[in-house]
Amino acid sequence: MDELQLRSLTPGVLGILVRRGADFAAAEDAVQDALIEAVRGWPADPPRDPKGWLVTVAWRKFLDATRADTARRRREETVDEEPAPGTVPAVDDTLQLYFLCAHPSLTPSSAVALTLRAVGGLTTRQIARAYLVPEATMAQRISRAKRTVSGVRFDQPGDVATVLRVLYLVFNEGYSGDVDLVAEAIRLTRQLAAAIDHPEVAGLLALMLLHHARRAARTAADGGIVTLAEQDRTRWDTTMIAEGIGILQLALARDRLGEYQAQAAIAALHADAQSADETDWVQIVEWYDELARLTGSPVVRLNRAVAVGEADGPRAGLAALARLDDTLPRHTAVAAYLHERDGASETAARLYTEAARQATNLAERDHLTRQAARLNAVGARGRSADPAGDAQDHGHDRTGGHVTSSGDARRPHGPPLPGSRAGHRRPPG
């Protein structure tokens, strides 16, 4: 059994311990200890029933810790009897664990860390490395989170929207340390989709797949940003695109539109285009209208301005941009791009330089600086690369909770969408 399969057992084992009466924080520690023993011992002597083995070892770890803690003697009286060996209960507590780890009393960063630890089965060290913080800092964050939710009833109803926001935060962190948080977010979202039938869970999974499918083409050999228009589309994962579109179409057919489904529809329209010139910008604008109606987000309206500039011309885009707060993140970069599209290269170069100073990460800053240098050097006219790396491809940027990128799907009503061609595209090279 590989590491991913082992970690997939974590929610079920943790849920069983909690239902037996274990405190959530202590149970989570015991499960982590059992996982460590499994990693050490299973390669040489794999158990016939991996989940049952983990439950047995984790429960013994919990009892040992409880007996050693004199401050918990009252609880020890209730848990001192170890259940007789037997079949593991078939109850699936995965969904309840998602709700608990994304409890409203937790800060977003704490909810993310606790979800990765308790549901994802990652170690504190792995999570700390992924978020580039000291292990001790992450350990304190997780401990505080566990204490915060220890008094919450395990069977208390939770909020799916909060869970989705937490998973989206994980996805947007990208890759760092020895853990691919994008892949982990997709795995956890698949797991959630298996535990609950909800169109927005499907929408988020589709959105993640459609963005992740373009990952290989997003970055140049030197680490620089490759804009959506310039990406080598033969490098896109067409199997993943087809899966994302299929999931999205089933979700949209239920006629319970939510923000993740709308974002995925935009992502699918981009993924469906054989080339940048074939992108159906008119439908993308219509989907941004839907998304703006659902969220009221000014960041969505900023991205809509870019789409309007593509569908109706740069001056229409600038008019849409003029109605927005110019302090919005990437407002200056969008203005630079639209002015360049309109032929105002000097203004665009100045705005690219200003946007580079405002950029929050090195790759984006370098990209914007190169755009300014290009215009200053050659006085370029006409169409060029999109602002901030790609105004339609910020799948892993922190844009106020909204990804602005890509897709194709089909709704029972509202803006029409074409049938996907993704499954017929030439396989990635």
Side-chain angles (χ1 to χ4, degrees):
M1 177 175 288
D2 62 26
E3 181 186 351
L4 282 180
Q5 291 173 314
L6 178 61
R7 288 198 280 114
S8 70
L9 298 174
T10 300
V13 175
L14 180 53
I16 289 170
L17 265 64
V18 172
R19 287 190 179 277
R20 286 181 177 179
D23 168 80
F24 173 79
E28 201 280 326
D29 287 338
V31 171
Q32 285 288 327
D33 288 341
L35 290 172
I36 291 172
E37 284 204 16
V39 170
R40 291 172 178 169
W42 285 11
D45 184 21
R48 292 183 178 180
D49 179 8
K51 185 176 181 181
W53 187 97
L54 286 172
V55 169
T56 299
V57 173
W59 184 250
R60 288 174 180 167
K61 295 284 186 184
F62 166 72
L63 290 179
D64 290 343
T66 301
R67 293 188 185 103
D69 191 344
T70 58
R72 297 180 181 179
R73 287 180 179 175
R74 291 181 62 188
R75 182 170 60 207
E76 183 178 359
E77 295 173 0
T78 67
V79 298
D80 204 23
E81 293 292 329
E82 181 175 350
T87 58
V88 175
V91 177
D92 186 355
D93 292 309
T94 300
L95 183 58
Q96 292 307 125
L97 279 173
Y98 276 98
F99 288 151
L100 188 64
C101 293
H103 194 269
S105 61
L106 296 173
T107 64
S109 60
S110 294
V112 165
L114 189 58
T115 297
L116 289 172
R117 164 110 179 190
V119 183
L122 296 176
T123 65
T124 300
R125 176 175 295 180
Q126 286 175 314
I127 301 169
R129 286 177 176 174
Y131 283 90
L132 305 178
V133 300
E135 186 175 348
T137 300
M138 185 58 69
Q140 291 175 352
R141 184 181 302 174
I142 293 171
S143 294
R144 285 195 301 268
K146 289 194 290 187
R147 287 196 299 270
T148 299
V149 300
S150 286
V152 178
R153 283 198 352 260
F154 191 60
D155 58 351
Q156 180 175 316
D159 179 23
V160 173
T162 303
V163 175
L164 295 181
R165 282 195 292 272
V166 169
L167 292 175
Y168 199 25
L169 286 172
V170 176
F171 182 78
N172 280 344
E173 285 298 330
Y175 177 83
S176 184
D178 59 353
V179 176
D180 186 340
L181 290 177
V182 172
E184 185 64 15
I186 291 173
R187 186 184 75 83
L188 292 176
T189 306
R190 285 190 190 278
Q191 191 168 273
L192 179 62
I196 183 172
D197 183 17
H198 193 292
E200 274 292 82
V201 176
L204 179 58
L205 178 57
L207 177 64
M208 289 178 174
L209 292 170
L210 288 163
H211 281 303
H212 193 46
R214 299 198 306 272
R215 181 175 185 171
R218 274 201 183 97
T219 308
D222 62 359
I225 292 173
V226 180
T227 68
L228 180 58
E230 296 172 334
Q231 286 174 17
D232 179 357
R233 298 185 180 218
T234 65
R235 299 186 67 196
W236 290 2
D237 187 332
T238 55
T239 300
M240 192 175 294
I241 289 173
E243 181 188 5
I245 289 173
I247 292 171
L248 176 61
Q249 288 175 330
L250 291 175
L252 291 174
R254 300 175 65 174
D255 201 16
R256 290 169 54 194
L257 184 64
E259 62 175 292
Y260 293 112
Q261 294 169 75
Q263 289 187 59
I266 295 168
L269 282 166
H270 282 293
D272 190 62
Q274 298 291 306
S275 66
D277 290 339
E278 294 179 62
T279 304
D280 192 340
W281 287 106
V282 172
Q283 287 200 62
I284 288 175
V285 171
E286 292 173 342
W287 277 105
Y288 271 125
D289 289 338
E290 293 272 10
L291 187 55
R293 177 182 61 80
L294 289 165
T295 66
S297 168
V299 176
V300 170
R301 296 189 184 281
L302 180 67
N303 296 320
R304 178 186 178 277
V306 178
V308 168
E310 299 287 355
D312 300 328
R315 294 193 180 183
L318 287 168
L321 186 66
R323 295 191 286 270
L324 303 176
D325 184 350
D326 62 8
T327 64
L328 283 171
R330 298 191 177 82
H331 184 285
T332 307
V334 170
Y337 172 64
L338 292 172
H339 275 292
E340 185 181 357
R341 288 285 317 280
D342 195 37
S345 295
E346 290 186 11
T347 299
R350 175 178 56 79
L351 290 170
Y352 275 132
T353 301
E354 183 180 340
R357 290 196 296 266
Q358 299 169 354
T360 56
N361 67 70
L362 183 60
E364 186 176 322
R365 186 180 306 123
D366 287 348
H367 176 81
L368 292 166
T369 299
R370 286 196 297 269
Q371 299 308 307
R374 172 180 54 78
L375 292 182
N376 285 328
V378 300
R381 291 295 188 270
R383 185 167 185 170
S384 70
D386 296 336
D390 185 354
Q392 297 85 42
D393 197 22
H394 286 307
H396 300 143
D397 288 341
R398 299 158 188 79
T399 54
H402 299 285
V403 167
T404 61
S405 132
S406 16
D408 152 42
R410 189 183 301 279
R411 286 193 64 196
H413 65 269
L417 291 165
S420 171
R421 298 185 298 273
H424 305 292
R425 188 179 291 116
R426 184 159 58 90

CSV table of all heavy atoms in Angstrom, one decimal, residues 382-414:
chain,number,residue,atom,x,y,z
A,382,GLY,N,-0.3,46.7,-30.9
A,382,GLY,CA,-1.2,45.6,-31.1
A,382,GLY,C,-1.2,44.6,-29.9
A,382,GLY,O,-0.7,44.9,-28.8
A,383,ARG,N,-1.7,43.5,-30.1
A,383,ARG,CA,-1.9,42.5,-29.1
A,383,ARG,C,-0.6,41.9,-28.6
A,383,ARG,O,0.3,41.6,-29.3
A,383,ARG,CB,-2.8,41.3,-29.6
A,383,ARG,CG,-3.2,40.3,-28.6
A,383,ARG,CD,-4.3,39.5,-29.1
A,383,ARG,NE,-4.8,38.6,-28.0
A,383,ARG,CZ,-5.8,37.8,-28.1
A,383,ARG,NH1,-6.6,37.9,-29.2
A,383,ARG,NH2,-6.2,37.1,-27.2
A,384,SER,N,-0.6,41.6,-27.3
A,384,SER,CA,0.6,41.0,-26.6
A,384,SER,C,0.1,40.1,-25.5
A,384,SER,O,-1.1,39.7,-25.5
A,384,SER,CB,1.5,42.1,-26.1
A,384,SER,OG,0.9,42.7,-25.0
A,385,ALA,N,1.0,39.7,-24.6
A,385,ALA,CA,0.6,38.8,-23.5
A,385,ALA,C,-0.3,39.5,-22.6
A,385,ALA,O,-0.4,40.7,-22.4
A,385,ALA,CB,1.9,38.4,-22.8
A,386,ASP,N,-1.1,38.7,-21.8
A,386,ASP,CA,-2.1,39.2,-20.9
A,386,ASP,C,-1.4,39.7,-19.6
A,386,ASP,O,-0.3,39.3,-19.3
A,386,ASP,CB,-3.0,38.1,-20.5
A,386,ASP,CG,-3.9,37.7,-21.7
A,386,ASP,OD1,-4.0,38.5,-22.6
A,386,ASP,OD2,-4.3,36.5,-21.7
A,387,PRO,N,-2.1,40.6,-18.8
A,387,PRO,CA,-1.5,41.2,-17.7
A,387,PRO,C,-1.3,40.2,-16.6
A,387,PRO,O,-2.0,39.2,-16.4
A,387,PRO,CB,-2.5,42.2,-17.2
A,387,PRO,CG,-3.8,41.7,-17.7
A,387,PRO,CD,-3.5,41.0,-19.0
A,388,ALA,N,-0.3,40.4,-15.7
A,388,ALA,CA,0.0,39.6,-14.5
A,388,ALA,C,0.2,38.2,-14.9
A,388,ALA,O,-0.2,37.3,-14.1
A,388,ALA,CB,-1.1,39.8,-13.5
A,389,GLY,N,0.7,37.9,-16.1
A,389,GLY,CA,0.9,36.5,-16.4
A,389,GLY,C,-0.2,36.0,-17.3
A,389,GLY,O,0.0,35.3,-18.2
A,390,ASP,N,-1.4,36.3,-16.9
A,390,ASP,CA,-2.6,35.9,-17.7
A,390,ASP,C,-3.8,36.3,-16.9
A,390,ASP,O,-4.1,35.6,-15.9
A,390,ASP,CB,-2.6,34.4,-18.0
A,390,ASP,CG,-3.7,34.0,-18.9
A,390,ASP,OD1,-4.5,34.9,-19.2
A,390,ASP,OD2,-3.7,32.9,-19.3
A,391,ALA,N,-4.6,37.3,-17.4
A,391,ALA,CA,-5.8,37.7,-16.6
A,391,ALA,C,-6.8,36.6,-16.6
A,391,ALA,O,-7.7,36.6,-15.8
A,391,ALA,CB,-6.4,38.9,-17.2
A,392,GLN,N,-6.7,35.6,-17.5
A,392,GLN,CA,-7.7,34.5,-17.5
A,392,GLN,C,-7.1,33.2,-17.0
A,392,GLN,O,-7.6,32.2,-17.2
A,392,GLN,CB,-8.2,34.3,-18.9
A,392,GLN,CG,-8.9,35.4,-19.5
A,392,GLN,CD,-8.0,36.4,-20.2
A,392,GLN,OE1,-7.1,36.1,-20.8
A,392,GLN,NE2,-8.2,37.7,-19.9
A,393,ASP,N,-5.9,33.3,-16.3
A,393,ASP,CA,-5.3,32.0,-15.9
A,393,ASP,C,-4.6,32.2,-14.6
A,393,ASP,O,-3.4,31.9,-14.5
A,393,ASP,CB,-4.3,31.6,-17.0
A,393,ASP,CG,-3.9,30.1,-16.8
A,393,ASP,OD1,-4.7,29.4,-16.2
A,393,ASP,OD2,-2.9,29.7,-17.3
A,394,HIS,N,-5.3,32.6,-13.6
A,394,HIS,CA,-4.7,32.7,-12.2
A,394,HIS,C,-5.2,31.6,-11.3
A,394,HIS,O,-5.7,31.9,-10.2
A,394,HIS,CB,-5.1,34.1,-11.6
A,394,HIS,CG,-4.4,35.2,-12.2
A,394,HIS,ND1,-3.0,35.2,-12.4
A,394,HIS,CD2,-4.8,36.4,-12.8
A,394,HIS,CE1,-2.6,36.3,-13.0
A,394,HIS,NE2,-3.7,37.0,-13.2
A,395,GLY,N,-5.2,30.4,-11.8
A,395,GLY,CA,-5.7,29.3,-11.0
A,395,GLY,C,-5.1,29.1,-9.7
A,395,GLY,O,-5.7,28.6,-8.8
A,396,HIS,N,-3.8,29.6,-9.5
A,396,HIS,CA,-3.1,29.4,-8.3
A,396,HIS,C,-2.7,30.7,-7.6
A,396,HIS,O,-1.9,30.7,-6.8
A,396,HIS,CB,-1.9,28.5,-8.5
A,396,HIS,CG,-2.2,27.1,-9.0
A,396,HIS,ND1,-1.4,26.5,-9.9
A,396,HIS,CD2,-3.3,26.3,-8.9
A,396,HIS,CE1,-2.0,25.3,-10.3
A,396,HIS,NE2,-3.1,25.2,-9.6
A,397,ASP,N,-3.4,31.8,-8.1
A,397,ASP,CA,-3.1,33.0,-7.4
A,397,ASP,C,-4.2,33.4,-6.4
A,397,ASP,O,-5.3,32.9,-6.6
A,397,ASP,CB,-3.0,34.2,-8.5
A,397,ASP,CG,-1.8,34.1,-9.3
A,397,ASP,OD1,-0.8,33.4,-8.9
A,397,ASP,OD2,-1.8,34.7,-10.4
A,398,ARG,N,-3.9,34.2,-5.5
A,398,ARG,CA,-4.8,34.5,-4.5
A,398,ARG,C,-5.6,35.8,-5.0
A,398,ARG,O,-5.1,36.9,-4.9
A,398,ARG,CB,-4.2,34.8,-3.1
A,398,ARG,CG,-3.4,33.6,-2.6
A,398,ARG,CD,-2.3,34.0,-1.6
A,398,ARG,NE,-1.5,32.9,-1.3
A,398,ARG,CZ,-0.5,32.4,-2.0
A,398,ARG,NH1,-0.3,32.9,-3.2
A,398,ARG,NH2,0.2,31.4,-1.7
A,399,THR,N,-6.8,35.6,-5.6
A,399,THR,CA,-7.5,36.7,-6.2
A,399,THR,C,-8.8,36.8,-5.5
A,399,THR,O,-9.9,36.8,-6.1
A,399,THR,CB,-7.7,36.4,-7.7
A,399,THR,OG1,-8.4,35.1,-7.8
A,399,THR,CG2,-6.5,36.4,-8.4
A,400,GLY,N,-8.8,37.0,-4.2
A,400,GLY,CA,-10.0,37.3,-3.4
A,400,GLY,C,-11.0,36.2,-3.4
A,400,GLY,O,-12.2,36.4,-3.3
A,401,GLY,N,-10.5,35.0,-3.6
A,401,GLY,CA,-11.4,33.8,-3.5
A,401,GLY,C,-11.9,33.4,-4.9
A,401,GLY,O,-12.8,32.6,-4.9
A,402,HIS,N,-11.4,33.9,-6.0
A,402,HIS,CA,-11.9,33.6,-7.3
A,402,HIS,C,-10.8,33.3,-8.2
A,402,HIS,O,-9.9,34.0,-8.4
A,402,HIS,CB,-12.8,34.7,-7.8
A,402,HIS,CG,-14.0,35.0,-6.9
A,402,HIS,ND1,-15.1,34.2,-6.9
A,402,HIS,CD2,-14.2,36.0,-6.0
A,402,HIS,CE1,-15.9,34.7,-6.0
A,402,HIS,NE2,-15.4,35.8,-5.5
A,403,VAL,N,-10.9,32.2,-8.9
A,403,VAL,CA,-10.0,31.9,-10.0
A,403,VAL,C,-10.6,32.4,-11.3
A,403,VAL,O,-11.8,32.3,-11.5
A,403,VAL,CB,-9.8,30.3,-10.1
A,403,VAL,CG1,-9.2,30.0,-11.4
A,403,VAL,CG2,-9.0,29.8,-8.9
A,404,THR,N,-9.7,33.1,-12.1
A,404,THR,CA,-10.2,33.7,-13.3
A,404,THR,C,-9.6,33.0,-14.5
A,404,THR,O,-8.6,33.4,-15.0
A,404,THR,CB,-9.8,35.2,-13.3
A,404,THR,OG1,-8.4,35.2,-13.3
A,404,THR,CG2,-10.3,35.9,-12.1
A,405,SER,N,-10.3,32.0,-14.9
A,405,SER,CA,-9.7,31.2,-16.0
A,405,SER,C,-10.7,30.4,-16.7
A,405,SER,O,-11.8,30.4,-16.4
A,405,SER,CB,-8.5,30.5,-15.4
A,405,SER,OG,-8.3,29.3,-15.7
A,406,SER,N,-10.9,29.9,-17.5
A,406,SER,CA,-11.1,28.8,-18.4
A,406,SER,C,-12.3,28.0,-18.7
A,406,SER,O,-12.8,27.4,-18.2
A,406,SER,CB,-10.1,27.8,-18.0
A,406,SER,OG,-9.7,28.0,-16.8
A,407,GLY,N,-13.0,27.3,-19.5
A,407,GLY,CA,-13.7,26.2,-19.7
A,407,GLY,C,-14.9,25.9,-20.6
A,407,GLY,O,-15.4,26.8,-21.1
A,408,ASP,N,-15.5,24.8,-20.7
A,408,ASP,CA,-16.7,24.5,-21.5
A,408,ASP,C,-17.6,23.6,-20.7
A,408,ASP,O,-17.2,22.8,-20.0
A,408,ASP,CB,-16.3,23.9,-22.8
A,408,ASP,CG,-17.4,23.0,-23.3
A,408,ASP,OD1,-18.6,23.4,-23.2
A,408,ASP,OD2,-17.1,21.9,-23.8
A,409,ALA,N,-18.9,23.9,-20.8
A,409,ALA,CA,-19.9,23.0,-20.2
A,409,ALA,C,-21.2,23.3,-20.9
A,409,ALA,O,-21.2,24.0,-21.8
A,409,ALA,CB,-19.9,23.4,-18.7
A,410,ARG,N,-22.2,22.7,-20.3
A,410,ARG,CA,-23.5,22.9,-20.9
A,410,ARG,C,-24.6,23.1,-19.8
A,410,ARG,O,-24.7,22.3,-18.9
A,410,ARG,CB,-23.9,21.7,-21.8
A,410,ARG,CG,-25.2,21.9,-22.6
A,410,ARG,CD,-25.5,20.7,-23.3
A,410,ARG,NE,-24.4,20.2,-24.2
A,410,ARG,CZ,-24.2,20.7,-25.4
A,410,ARG,NH1,-25.0,21.7,-25.9
A,410,ARG,NH2,-23.2,20.3,-26.1
A,411,ARG,N,-25.3,24.2,-19.9
A,411,ARG,CA,-26.3,24.5,-18.9
A,411,ARG,C,-27.7,24.3,-19.5
A,411,ARG,O,-27.9,24.4,-20.7
A,411,ARG,CB,-26.3,26.0,-18.5
A,411,ARG,CG,-25.1,26.4,-17.6
A,411,ARG,CD,-25.3,27.7,-17.0
A,411,ARG,NE,-26.5,27.7,-16.1
A,411,ARG,CZ,-27.1,28.8,-15.7
A,411,ARG,NH1,-26.7,30.0,-16.1
A,411,ARG,NH2,-28.1,28.8,-14.9
A,412,PRO,N,-28.7,23.9,-18.6
A,412,PRO,CA,-30.0,23.7,-19.1
A,412,PRO,C,-30.7,25.0,-19.6
A,412,PRO,O,-31.6,25.0,-20.4
A,412,PRO,CB,-30.7,23.0,-17.9
A,412,PRO,CG,-29.9,23.4,-16.8
A,412,PRO,CD,-28.5,23.5,-17.2
A,413,HIS,N,-30.2,26.1,-19.0
A,413,HIS,CA,-30.7,27.4,-19.5
A,413,HIS,C,-29.6,28.4,-19.2
A,413,HIS,O,-28.6,28.1,-18.6
A,413,HIS,CB,-32.0,27.8,-18.8
A,413,HIS,CG,-31.9,28.0,-17.4
A,413,HIS,ND1,-32.1,27.0,-16.5
A,413,HIS,CD2,-31.6,29.1,-16.7
A,413,HIS,CE1,-31.9,27.5,-15.2
A,413,HIS,NE2,-31.6,28.8,-15.3
A,414,GLY,N,-29.8,29.7,-19.6
A,414,GLY,CA,-28.7,30.7,-19.4
A,414,GLY,C,-27.8,30.7,-20.6
A,414,GLY,O,-28.1,30.2,-21.7
